[in-house]
Amino acid sequence: MPRTRVHNLNISLDGYAAGEHVTLDAPIGGAERLFAGFDGRFIHGMDAVDAPVTLDRALTTLWGQGIGAEIMGRRKFGPQVGEWSDDGWRGWWGDETPFRTPVFVMTHHPRPPIDLPDGTSFRFVEGSPHEVLALAREAAGGRDVRLGGGPSTVRQFLEADLVDFMHLVVVPVTLGRGVSLWEGVSGVEDRFTVESIASSSGLTHQFWNRNGRG
Amino acid sequence: MPRTRVHNLNISLDGYAAGEHVTLDAPIGGAERLFAGFDGRFIHGMDAVDAPVTLDRALTTLWGQGIGAEIMGRRKFGPQVGEWSDDGWRGWWGDETPFRTPVFVMTHHPRPPIDLPDGTSFRFVEGSPHEVLALAREAAGGRDVRLGGGPSTVRQFLEADLVDFMHLVVVPVTLGRGVSLWEGVSGVEDRFTVESIASSSGLTHQFWNRNGRG
């Protein structure tokens, strides 16, 4: 049974995983400090990345393993709100994205898909977490589905009990404000077995494995 | 510049990484306890392995990332010593091995290569660590070379200063005897930066990154 997985979700000490106001200059909404120590070169594995392999980087390599599709919220795709304008926006990533799979962007404003030459296709869909997950599973062809964030999207799937695995990273910064992963979520830890791993970098990695699997 | 990497080298508290007497019934020479907690399903990534993702399993997924060839000692390939007999031995693994790349078996008794349908080819070569590494690098086509063990083979490459990365796993067992990784090796840690990671399982993972790279 394919899993629904969250990877490298960085969270501040006060529980925020993104800032409130995403703009063209602030893709994480002002919470860019959460990713100051993140080495994105490792998301597809340690292949040809000539840098020391630390614990933090090693765990980052899980991101793409066995993934056949991603689901993301609209705010991860771009800063626009409301109806889409004809501004040619194709996401933050240009023609070479990290995804290389179908990506389902959850939005109340559907639009035609965007197919990129690197294997990424953005598909804009409206629906409940269950409905969007069904679409992503079908596109993933038996592989796992990555739930790419942001935090309010992950929270929706947690509340619907659709998350099988989460790799959270507690970053030793405080933000004071932002979008919380946990807002209104209570007792979700009862459904998971949680392993906490302290890194010499100051990060704490948490693996949340849903009980009753494997 | 491609690396030479060691992965999942399990070591007892008293420094042994294999037993002394490899036989058909004891591929690790009596030190099988070193691998009692090892989940080999994760060496090619967490793809379709329906088991909780623990720290130990997550780090195991580094094994195959970016690897284009393996070097192993003869004792890892089989229990035979001296001249090869015509017994049809093709390694411990049958027709589906974990390797799926060229594998260079270091031996003083060369023999014709063995090509398997899964992409693995065993090539039996005599030479110094430098010479064998040159062959493996060429076969790896720009990818990294994994140094597959056993411990005396890894020790030869350490003494020749040819190891760029090691993932060692200190297992909380004592063996009392066996083949030590460290025998006669002194001060090798000066050439590396070492990160130690305690696992809730009782294992301690160590990442040895060679200084002056990356």
Side-chain angles (χ1 to χ4, degrees), chain A residues 1 3 5 7 42 44-59 61-62 64-67 142-144 165 195-201 207 209-210 213-214, chain B residues 1 3 5 7 42 44-59 61-62 64-67 142-144 165 195-201 207 209-210 213-214:
Chain A
M1 184 70 178
R3 289 163 292 204
R5 293 160 35 194
H7 284 277
F42 280 81
H44 289 294
M46 58 184 288
D47 307 44
V49 185
D50 200 1
V53 182
T54 61
L55 171 67
D56 299 337
R57 288 168 171 157
L59 299 185
T61 70
L62 297 173
Q65 294 180 18
I67 292 291
R143 310 197 89 194
D144 288 351
F165 175 78
E195 182 180 12
S196 289
I197 304 139
S199 169
S200 57
S201 67
F207 285 173
N209 284 282
R210 194 163 181 275
R213 283 199 64 111
Chain B
M1 183 70 179
R3 289 162 292 203
R5 293 160 37 194
H7 285 275
F42 280 81
H44 289 294
M46 59 185 286
D47 309 42
V49 185
D50 199 1
V53 181
T54 62
L55 171 67
D56 300 336
R57 288 168 172 156
L59 299 185
T61 71
L62 298 172
Q65 293 180 18
I67 293 291
R143 311 198 89 194
D144 289 350
F165 175 77
E195 181 180 11
S196 289
I197 306 138
S199 169
S200 57
S201 67
F207 285 172
N209 284 281
R210 195 163 179 274
R213 285 198 64 112

